[in-house]
């Protein structure tokens, strides 16, 4: 491995370690996912995968709200800062965002890569696999609208 | 025995569930009243029928008399108009029509879009009189359906029903005296066979908006009056509020401003799906998301 790649690996590790440390240290320890709090219609979402082996799940409650902290870490270039905002509700992280706060060009790239990857992305599940009473999305269109769309697609196909 | 009414109206499919038992006569009476009220609303506010008051006003400036229900509708519209710097506007009607979303669904752009006039340039409203100062097509698509859902819910409640669900094209109000929540699937905006999560709904209204169904050319059902293009920075948005008119208004307003701008004036929860499939939801929205 050449020195540039080695440095970027070190920087990445440093960054991830800083985030973990930051999230563990800032305000104590957050419960990243709910243990069986049953009989609760409000299932919380799972925004974070555990990044450390031991996030202790506390019984004590954290005040609901939005928490913003700066995380400090060292890269081969020197001191770096990344901003992290967590939204807590019922002891669960319901939203998380991170912002680039560093100024070194390589570190900015690293932080951007991290930020792009760390937010969970939704995946779809087939409706028949899930028990739902109803579905909500954009408004169902009337036959007239759907017919119009079909006609236009047909015209476009002919013209192509 | 629960009753269910299914019909098409105002350009979408309605499914009304009444959980309280109703006699056959009561069912018929209720359904008739609902249809009557929807037709009345349609005849006032629809830009999809030539004989509506809104279309009459679009052709000829002058003074008109508006029905009682105009007060709440215009009040919400004006408030959200002001909060979004005029981007949430009923005056987007002409642009929608020029883009192709007209009464005949031609879905072909007719001409260059022009920026909508400002509220004060066209509308001077002091109930029951409205002065239309310049000809313009008023479009109430952003919150009109939500408002009509509230009106229909009110009729159902007036008939003594306490547990019911009104679903118009996926905008839903649910009331349940037994406190049984309805589990609603959040439709995947790019694959209608799928959902991206579920949210429980109890004694609240839920509205959703996405640019996937009413779409043609480069447009979808929302046009930004500043850019005269349809916004692409969000894939889908949902809002939950105590009233359907508010939930409906918020789903459109959120395309134009950040949630906190609206949260100072309205009480609502939201869920936003971004084009990269990341998402954000307000703490009280309560969705279980599939990741």
């Amino acid at each position: 491995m050449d020195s540039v790649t080695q440095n970027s690996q070190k920087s990445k590790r440093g960054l991830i370690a800083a985030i973990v440390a930051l999230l563990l240290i800032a305000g104590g320890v957050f419960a990243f996912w709910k243990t069986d709090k049953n009989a609760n219609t409000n299932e919380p979402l799972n925004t974070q995968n555990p990044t450390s082996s031991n996030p202790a799940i506390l019984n004590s409650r954290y005040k609901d709200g939005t928490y913003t902290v700066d995380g400090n870490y060292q890269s081969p270039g020197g001191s770096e800062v990344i901003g992290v905002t967590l939204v807590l509700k019922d002891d669960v992280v319901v939203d998380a965002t991170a912002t680039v706060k560093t100024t070194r060009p390589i570190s900015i790239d690293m932080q951007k890569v991290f930020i792009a990857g760390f937010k969970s992305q939704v995946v779809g599940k087939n409706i028949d696999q899930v028990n739902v009473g109803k579905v909500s999305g954009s408004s169902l269109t009337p036959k007239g609208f759907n017919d119009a769309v079909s006609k236009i697609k047909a015209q476009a196909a002919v013209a192509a | 025995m629960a009753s269910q009414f299914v019909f098409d109206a105002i350009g979408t499919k309605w499914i009304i569930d009444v959980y309280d038992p109703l006699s056959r006569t009561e069912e018929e009476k209720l359904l008739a009243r609902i249809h009557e009220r929807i037709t009345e609303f349609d005849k006032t506010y629809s830009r999809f029928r030539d004989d509506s008051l809104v279309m009459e006003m679009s052709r000829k400036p002058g003074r008109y008399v508006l029905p009682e229900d105009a007060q709440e509708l215009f009040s919400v519209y004006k408030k959200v108009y002001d909060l979004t710097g005029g981007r949430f506007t009923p005056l987007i009607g002409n642009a929608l029509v020029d883009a192709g979303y007209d009464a005949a669904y031609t879905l072909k752009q007719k001409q260059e879009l022009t920026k909508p006039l400002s509220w004060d340039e066209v509308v001077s409203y002091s109930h029951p009189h409205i002065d239309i100062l310049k000809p313009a097509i008023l479009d109430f698509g952003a919150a009109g359906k939500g408002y009509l859902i509230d009106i229909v819910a009110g009729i159902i409640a007036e008939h003594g029903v306490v547990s019911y669900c009104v679903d118009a094209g996926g905008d839903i109000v649910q009331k349940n005296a037994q406190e049984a929540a309805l589990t609603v699937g959040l439709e995947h905006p790019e694959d209608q066979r799928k959902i991206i999560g579920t949210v429980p709904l109890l004694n609240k209204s839920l509205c959703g908006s996405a640019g996937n169904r009413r779409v043609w050319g480069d447009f979808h059902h929302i046009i930004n009056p500043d850019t005269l293009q349809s916004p692409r920075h969000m894939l889908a948005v949902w809002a939950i509020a105590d009233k359907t008119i508010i939930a409906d208004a918020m789903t459109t307003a959120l395309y134009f401003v950040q949630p906190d701008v609206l949260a100072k004036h309205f009480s609502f929860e939201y869920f936003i799906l971004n084009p990269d499939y990341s998402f954000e939801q307000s703490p009280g929205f309560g969705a279980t998301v599939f990741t």
Side-chain angles (χ1 to χ4, degrees):
Chain A
M1 238 193 264
D2 65 11
S3 63
V4 171
T5 326
Q6 266 180 327
N7 279 345
S8 77
Q9 294 278 35
K10 271 195 208 151
S11 191
K12 223 186 275 181
R13 277 201 295 271
L15 173 55
I16 290 168
I19 300 294
V20 172
L22 169 73
L23 294 174
L24 288 175
I25 289 163
V29 175
F30 299 113
F32 280 90
W33 66 99
K34 264 205 161 86
T35 51
D36 343 68
K37 266 198 197 170
N38 40 29
N40 188 348
T41 52
N42 273 340
E43 293 279 290
L45 63 86
N46 204 346
T47 51
Q48 298 286 1
N49 293 315
T51 48
S52 111
S53 54
N54 221 351
I57 296 161
L58 304 179
N59 283 327
S60 60
R61 286 196 52 105
Y62 289 91
K63 194 162 163 222
D64 290 354
T66 304
Y67 296 80
T68 303
V69 286
D70 282 348
N72 299 293
Y73 65 99
Q74 292 295 318
S75 78
S79 299
E80 312 284 3
V81 187
I82 185 166
V84 177
T85 298
L86 301 179
V87 180
L88 281 203
K89 171 122 171 103
D90 297 337
D91 288 348
V92 176
V93 175
V94 295
D95 196 22
T97 43
T99 41
V100 176
K101 278 202 162 188
T102 190
T103 50
R104 281 189 192 88
I106 292 176
S107 307
I108 290 172
D109 287 339
M110 288 286 143
Q111 287 192 2
K112 279 185 179 169
V113 166
F114 174 80
I115 289 165
F118 111 111
K119 267 210 109 144
S120 297
Q121 296 185 313
V122 308
V123 294
K125 270 197 194 173
N126 279 323
I127 292 175
D128 46 23
Q129 288 180 343
V130 190
N131 206 4
V132 292
K134 287 198 173 276
V135 173
S136 174
S138 62
S139 293
L140 300 177
T141 37
K143 187 164 179 299
F145 194 98
N146 298 333
D147 285 354
V149 171
S150 306
K151 279 199 194 91
I152 288 167
K153 281 187 181 161
Q155 285 168 10
V158 166
Chain B
M1 285 287 278
S3 312
Q4 187 176 78
F5 309 135
V6 180
F7 54 88
D8 287 338
I10 63 160
T12 197
K13 182 178 180 189
W14 290 63
I15 302 173
I16 298 178
D17 291 295
V18 173
Y19 302 118
D20 300 7
L22 291 177
S23 72
R24 194 64 200 275
T25 323
E26 284 168 328
E27 268 188 359
E28 285 168 10
K29 198 165 150 216
L30 179 57
L31 187 57
R33 177 67 194 121
I34 289 172
H35 279 307
E36 191 182 56
R37 188 64 182 90
I38 289 176
T39 305
E40 193 187 329
F41 191 90
D42 200 45
K43 273 192 164 156
T44 311
Y45 300 111
S46 173
R47 64 177 178 85
F48 292 95
R49 51 188 301 166
D50 226 40
D51 62 349
S52 71
L53 180 59
V54 146
M55 287 315 285
E56 199 189 328
M57 298 192 312
S58 75
R59 293 184 285 260
K60 194 163 163 248
R63 172 164 286 201
Y64 297 86
V65 172
L66 291 181
E68 273 308 301
D69 57 20
Q71 292 185 91
E72 187 172 349
L73 186 65
F74 275 72
S75 167
V76 170
Y77 261 84
K78 186 59 168 59
K79 199 162 172 191
V80 184
Y81 174 92
D82 290 337
L83 287 174
T84 58
R87 294 181 197 93
F88 175 106
T89 172
L91 289 144
I92 200 67
N94 289 85
L96 286 166
V97 167
D98 289 345
Y101 189 15
D102 57 19
Y105 296 144
T106 49
L107 303 186
K108 284 206 173 103
Q109 187 165 351
K110 299 177 187 6
Q111 57 190 5
E112 279 305 307
L113 271 49
T114 46
K115 290 206 172 166
L117 297 170
S118 71
W119 183 289
D120 292 331
E121 282 178 289
V122 179
V123 173
S124 175
Y125 175 44
S126 178
H127 193 77
H129 294 120
I130 187 170
D131 290 322
I132 299 295
L133 308 167
K134 288 190 179 146
I137 300 170
L138 297 180
D139 170 81
F140 291 105
K145 173 146 69 84
Y147 187 35
L148 184 55
I149 290 171
D150 284 336
I151 290 172
V152 168
I155 288 170
I156 295 170
E158 268 167 34
H159 271 69
V161 174
V162 296
S163 297
Y164 59 87
C165 180
V166 178
D167 170 357
D171 288 349
I172 303 165
V173 63
Q174 191 262 23
K175 298 264 193 259
N176 194 302
Q178 264 71 54
E179 305 283 304
L182 180 70
T183 304
V184 183
L186 302 174
E187 191 183 62
H188 191 301
E190 291 179 328
D191 185 346
Q192 289 161 28
R193 297 163 302 175
K194 296 196 159 102
I195 53 176
I196 55 148
T198 62
V199 65
L201 191 66
L202 176 61
N203 298 325
K204 294 260 178 195
S205 298
L206 167 72
C207 290
S209 189
N212 63 320
R213 280 199 171 83
R214 286 160 209 263
V215 60
W216 70 98
D218 289 329
F219 296 106
H220 63 73
H221 72 313
I222 294 179
I223 292 180
N224 182 328
D226 292 343
T227 62
L228 294 177
Q229 290 176 340
S230 291
R232 299 284 172 195
H233 62 288
M234 281 163 36
L235 217 48
V237 59
W238 286 268
I240 290 175
D242 287 332
K243 282 179 157 185
T244 329
I245 186 176
I246 301 301
D248 203 5
M250 294 300 101
T251 57
T252 298
L254 285 167
Y255 276 89
F256 299 128
V257 291
Q258 289 293 311
D260 54 289
V261 170
L262 304 164
K264 291 191 186 79
H265 301 266
F266 296 103
S267 180
F268 67 99
E269 306 289 344
Y270 66 90
F271 184 107
I272 291 171
L273 184 65
N274 298 310
D276 66 357
Y277 282 88
S278 65
F279 61 93
E280 67 175 279
Q281 63 174 322
S282 58
F285 189 87
T288 302
V289 185
F290 308 140
T291 53

